[in-house]
Amino acid sequence: MNTVKKLIGAILLLLAPALVWLMTGQAMDKISKAAEGTDRTNVSLQWGIILFIFIPVSIGMMIFGWYALKGEYNEEVEH
């Protein structure tokens, strides 16, 4: 079970920055394709909010992955 926890930790540690990079790229692409004026402003605001919410979630995924990789969750729970 501890090996699975460490594997999930490594996956989260690698996946989180990749998702931020991917979403930032999508945001730039969508904003650049939006028509000038109000449409571009609306798309920029929408993606700004999405990134504002997702980046802290991604940082949390990285912290959880780091601790899982270090073995902080390896202790057995006593019942």
Side-chain angles (χ1 to χ4, degrees):
M1 189 67 178
N2 291 335
T3 304
V4 173
K5 291 176 184 176
K6 287 186 177 187
L7 180 65
I8 291 173
I11 290 170
L12 288 176
L13 202 56
L14 295 173
L15 186 65
L19 288 175
V20 169
W21 180 77
L22 178 71
M23 289 189 72
T24 303
Q26 283 293 311
M28 295 298 176
D29 183 51
K30 300 293 182 187
I31 291 170
S32 68
K33 289 182 179 177
E36 292 286 331
T38 307
D39 191 35
R40 181 168 287 184
T41 303
N42 288 337
V43 172
S44 298
L45 181 63
Q46 176 189 7
W47 277 99
I49 291 170
I50 290 170
L51 290 176
F52 181 75
I53 292 170
F54 185 73
I55 288 175
V57 171
S58 176
I59 291 171
M61 287 171 58
M62 288 178 59
I63 292 171
F64 182 77
W66 175 251
Y67 282 130
L69 193 60
K70 286 178 56 180
E72 295 288 328
Y73 303 115
N74 289 349
E75 296 178 16
E76 296 293 325
V77 177
E78 295 181 22
H79 296 280

